[in-house]
Amino acid sequence: MKGDINDVTTTLRYYHNAAVGDVDGDGITDLVVQDFGAEEMMLFLNNGTGLSKKMNITPNNQTGAVYIADIDGDKKPEIISAPYIDRGNTPSTFVKKLNYSNGSYISTSISPITPFGSTYGCYKIIGMKNPKDNTKTNLFFFVEGGAGDQKVFRSRTDNSNIIDDVTSLQQTYKSNGTRDYLVADLNFDGFDDIFFYVNTGQNLNSRVWLNNGDNTFTNSTWDIDQTLTSHFIPLTINSTSGRIKFLYYIDGTNPSTKIIDVYTKKK
């Protein structure tokens, strides 16, 4: 089912990110929309028959991405707000946790100031259960410093104020700033991995980040022609054969495509 949501689809705005989850604890999924405007975020509560706007949320955080999850194990979902690039003369942005209750919210900083540095802004947040303790969740922040400059940061489960840089720079597609990735078990070892699949100028292994089993990552060392540095799109991921088939394509004035079949299963 789809339909207009008042104050979102009928108003011209620039939206970067949104998240769904049970914000008010009534068992029904709600919606939070990030908005590059004075309000930063808008909360839409679901009463079981549809969404209606409840309130603006303005944590003064230059919000660039939002996520809804219970990250502290109290069985109450929180709204996570990660900042976009802090251009203020005096930096003021943190990753913030917002607890909503009865029409109001409490905002708590859960990161160092400007957690991604002065040049990176967050465009997507995801959560991964920690393989060594499924009661805890690592937050992963996908950030950009402009077209062709993407990285990933991760919060620690033991101390969310510590945010680690977990990938090298990823040269994602520069002509229009496309920044896309896949989170999946790419080497069939039971842990989710990260794959940036629109990189150009980098070989496949440099854009695949395999989970070491504790939500830290290292690049793959798959047997593949390292001179192939254009676009890879995963087509099939076959756990039985331990192989992934990629569509490899080169665009531009002389476009071409071919299928690349790679054995990726952990040995």
Side-chain angles (χ1 to χ4, degrees), residues 68-100:
I68 300 172
D70 175 16
I71 66 166
D72 51 18
D74 63 357
K75 298 184 179 179
K76 297 179 182 178
E78 297 88 34
I79 301 170
I80 308 302
S81 162
Y84 205 63
I85 299 171
D86 189 341
R87 294 185 173 88
N89 293 328
T90 303
S92 60
T93 50
F94 300 81
V95 177
K96 292 193 174 185
K97 177 181 71 173
L98 297 97
N99 294 89
Y100 172 85

Side-chain angles (χ1 to χ4, degrees), residues 5-233:
I5 301 173
N6 290 335
D7 208 21
V8 176
T9 56
T10 58
T11 304
L12 294 177
R13 302 175 186 271
Y14 176 45
Y15 301 104
H16 210 189
N17 196 230
V20 294
D22 183 13
V23 172
D24 56 359
D26 64 355
I28 305 173
T29 300
D30 307 303
L31 171 70
V32 174
V33 177
Q34 179 272 341
D35 169 26
F36 282 115
E39 60 270 12
E40 295 189 55
M41 291 182 279
M42 293 177 286
L43 171 61
F44 296 84
L45 294 182
N46 192 337
N47 62 8
T49 60
L51 291 164
S52 60
K53 184 176 179 180
K54 178 64 178 181
M55 63 188 301
N56 293 330
I57 298 178
T58 308
N60 297 313
N61 198 38
Q62 299 190 35
T63 301
V66 294
Y67 182 69
I68 300 172
D70 175 16
I71 66 166
D72 51 18
D74 63 357
K75 298 184 179 179
K76 297 179 182 178
E78 297 88 34
I79 301 170
I80 308 302
S81 162
Y84 205 63
I85 299 171
D86 189 341
R87 294 185 173 88
N89 293 328
T90 303
S92 60
T93 50
F94 300 81
V95 177
K96 292 193 174 185
K97 177 181 71 173
L98 297 97
N99 294 89
Y100 172 85
S101 179
N102 297 321
S104 63
Y105 61 88
I106 298 174
S107 176
T108 306
S109 297
I110 58 170
S111 80
I113 196 168
T114 56
F116 318 120
S118 60
T119 59
Y120 287 101
C122 186
Y123 65 85
K124 181 70 175 179
I125 310 170
I126 67 170
M128 286 190 194
K129 292 294 183 182
N130 190 291
K132 294 188 174 181
D133 185 350
N134 283 328
T135 66
K136 296 182 178 179
T137 298
N138 289 110
L139 293 176
F140 288 83
F141 305 94
F142 290 76
V143 305
E144 64 176 355
D149 185 356
Q150 324 289 328
K151 298 181 82 169
V152 180
F153 288 78
R154 183 207 62 229
S155 68
R156 297 187 188 177
T157 57
D158 58 337
N159 185 349
S160 61
N161 279 295
I162 301 176
I163 292 182
D164 297 316
D165 186 342
V166 297
T167 74
S168 65
L169 183 152
Q170 300 292 288
Q171 299 175 22
T172 44
Y173 199 30
K174 293 184 178 183
S175 68
N176 61 5
T178 301
R179 53 194 182 217
D180 222 337
Y181 58 87
L182 172 70
V183 175
D185 183 5
L186 301 173
N187 61 347
F188 312 107
D189 64 353
F191 306 114
D192 278 338
D193 311 303
I194 299 172
F195 172 40
F196 287 85
Y197 62 81
V198 288
N199 291 24
T200 55
Q202 291 177 270
N203 63 58
L204 180 65
N205 284 325
S206 67
R207 52 183 111 169
V208 173
W209 293 84
L210 298 178
N211 199 322
N212 297 316
D214 58 359
N215 284 352
T216 64
F217 299 83
T218 54
N219 287 122
S220 61
T221 55
W222 297 336
D223 184 13
I224 185 173
D225 185 349
Q226 300 300 301
T227 66
L228 300 177
T229 59
S230 191
H231 301 284
F232 284 86
I233 304 295

